[in-house]
């Protein structure tokens, strides 16, 4: 039987913290420290501007083991390709059609999804945050409800807040009756991975072109809304296969209507 500790440990292993394009190595070190204090251990760096750097190791204090194991990727898409759930942390509301959650709700959601597969919490650059394209790769945005006139926390401080909320949620779930910590979805077909969803969105975009859905309008706004809709639905692998089968048929019919050979 699982002890509360082993449940917390198993779930903590499912979470990765992804820092995108970090400019100051000191923030990478401080983020590593923030994670370790909260029992998290997996740090992923996407195209850091200055890394490895002595300053990062200095600021990590006793968390340099975590830094030494940090994975480095060239793009966010690569860093989260195997994730089932991706949360993007933003200092301000963006004009991307994305659900926005406060940290506590985000941690609860992350824990639920962590029972089914890998979860990523993504943080942006000090100067410019995450780009809209990067936010589009996320299932939901997380905003710490800070002072609206001064809402941008230091990167490592934002990591600390989210890591703390995750820890609280983990401790709560570990204290809950056996079985509850596994969350919903256990025993069902697994949720679609990030890469599977991107494959689906690629085919959806192509199909909308094939059936002339946009009629000369740019496809961006419709695609953003559709992404939001399908990401909110938390599709499993079987559902994605079903939808892709429907799209394939629509594409075949469009080819026939154009008089092309099938
Ligand atoms: N000037 C940037 C702020 C970047 S702060 C901007 O306007 O977007 C660096 C990162 O810390 C952000 O990308 C975000 O991931 C995180 N962060 C800072 N303040 C936050 C807040 N209030 N809520 C959620 N994340 C925050």
């Amino acid at each position: 039987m699982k002890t509360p500790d082993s449940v917390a440990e198993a779930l903590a292993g499912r979470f990765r913290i992804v820092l995108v394009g970090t400019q100051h190595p000191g923030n990478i070190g401080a983020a590593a420290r923030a994670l370790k204090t909260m029992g998290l251990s997996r740090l992923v760096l996407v195209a850091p501007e200055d890394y490895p750097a002595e300053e990062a190791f200095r600021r990590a204090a006793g968390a340099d083991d975590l830094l030494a194991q940090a994975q480095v990727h060239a793009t966010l898409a690569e860093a989260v390709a195997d994730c089932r759930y991706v949360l993007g942390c933003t200092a301000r509301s963006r004009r991307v059609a994305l659900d926005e959650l406060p940290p506590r709700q985000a941690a609860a959601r992350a824990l639920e999804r962590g029972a089914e597969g890998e979860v990523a919490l993504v943080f942006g650059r000090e100067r410019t945050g995450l780009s809209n394209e990067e936010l589009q790769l996320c299932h939901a945005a997380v905003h710490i409800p800070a002072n609206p006139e001064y809402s941008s926390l230091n990167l490592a401080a934002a990591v600390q807040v989210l890591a703390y909320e995750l820890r609280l949620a983990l401790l709560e779930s570990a204290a809950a009756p056996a079985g509850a910590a596994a969350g919903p979805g256990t025993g069902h077909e697994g949720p679609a991975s990030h890469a599977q969803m991107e494959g689906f969105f690629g085919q959806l975009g192509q199909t909308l072109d094939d059936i002339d859905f946009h009629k000369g309008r740019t496809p961006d706004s419709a695609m953003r809304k559709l992404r939001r809709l399908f990401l909110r639905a938390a599709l499993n692998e079987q559902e994605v296969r079903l939808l892709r089968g429907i799209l394939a048929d629509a594409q075949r019919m469009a080819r026939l209507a154009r008089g092309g050979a099938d």
Side-chain angles (χ1 to χ4, degrees):
M1 205 184 107
K2 284 182 173 168
T3 63
D5 274 356
S6 71
V7 171
E9 230 171 73
L11 289 175
R14 294 275 178 94
F15 298 110
R16 75 187 66 171
I17 304 303
V18 183
L19 307 184
V20 180
T22 309
Q23 286 144 339
H24 302 295
N27 279 337
I28 297 178
R33 183 173 183 176
L35 293 189
K36 191 164 177 178
T37 55
M38 295 298 118
L40 293 163
S41 57
R42 292 173 52 209
L43 184 62
V44 177
L45 307 175
V46 173
E49 280 197 9
D50 180 10
Y51 190 81
E54 226 175 82
E55 175 70 1
F57 282 87
R58 247 199 319 274
R59 291 283 300 279
D64 38 4
D65 53 332
L66 226 126
L67 266 191
Q69 291 161 19
Q71 285 178 5
V72 182
H73 289 281
T75 64
L76 178 59
E78 220 178 76
V80 300
D82 60 330
C83 287
R84 304 284 152 161
Y85 195 58
V86 182
L87 288 167
C89 299
T90 62
R92 54 204 156 98
S93 288
R94 300 297 187 83
R95 273 180 302 134
V96 285
L98 207 59
D99 287 335
E100 191 176 287
L101 304 171
R104 192 145 301 173
Q105 224 176 310
R109 189 81 62 85
L111 203 61
E112 249 174 57
R113 300 299 173 87
E116 302 165 333
E118 292 278 323
V119 171
L121 260 78
V122 182
F123 295 83
R125 300 158 189 81
E126 292 89 334
R127 263 194 301 278
T128 52
L130 293 168
S131 70
N132 286 346
E133 289 71 32
E134 286 159 348
L135 275 173
Q136 288 285 303
L137 299 177
C138 301
H139 291 81
V142 186
H143 177 66
I144 300 164
N147 175 358
E149 272 135 48
Y150 190 68
S151 67
S152 176
L153 279 74
N154 163 266
L155 171 61
V159 170
Q160 185 78 73
V161 170
L162 266 301
Y164 172 65
E165 288 294 344
L166 264 182
R167 181 162 183 84
L168 279 190
L170 282 167
L171 290 174
E172 241 169 59
S173 87
T186 310
H188 299 160
E189 172 120 8
S193 70
H194 189 270
Q196 285 165 337
M197 287 307 292
E198 288 309 310
F200 165 66
F201 288 131
Q203 188 181 359
L204 179 60
Q206 186 57 54
T207 307
L208 294 181
D209 281 345
D210 293 350
I211 63 174
D212 192 27
F213 174 76
H214 303 299
K215 304 190 179 50
R217 294 179 303 253
T218 66
D220 299 12
S221 158
M223 277 311 292
R224 269 200 302 274
K225 288 178 188 146
L226 287 165
R227 288 182 72 96
R228 178 182 184 165
L229 166 68
F230 285 112
L231 288 174
R232 192 170 60 226
L235 302 174
N236 66 31
E237 293 175 357
Q238 193 183 24
E239 289 162 338
V240 170
R241 280 197 298 276
L242 174 67
L243 286 170
R244 292 197 69 161
I246 294 171
L247 293 179
D249 276 353
Q251 288 179 299
R252 189 168 54 82
M253 297 309 283
R255 264 198 310 275
L256 283 174
R258 282 196 306 269
D262 188 28

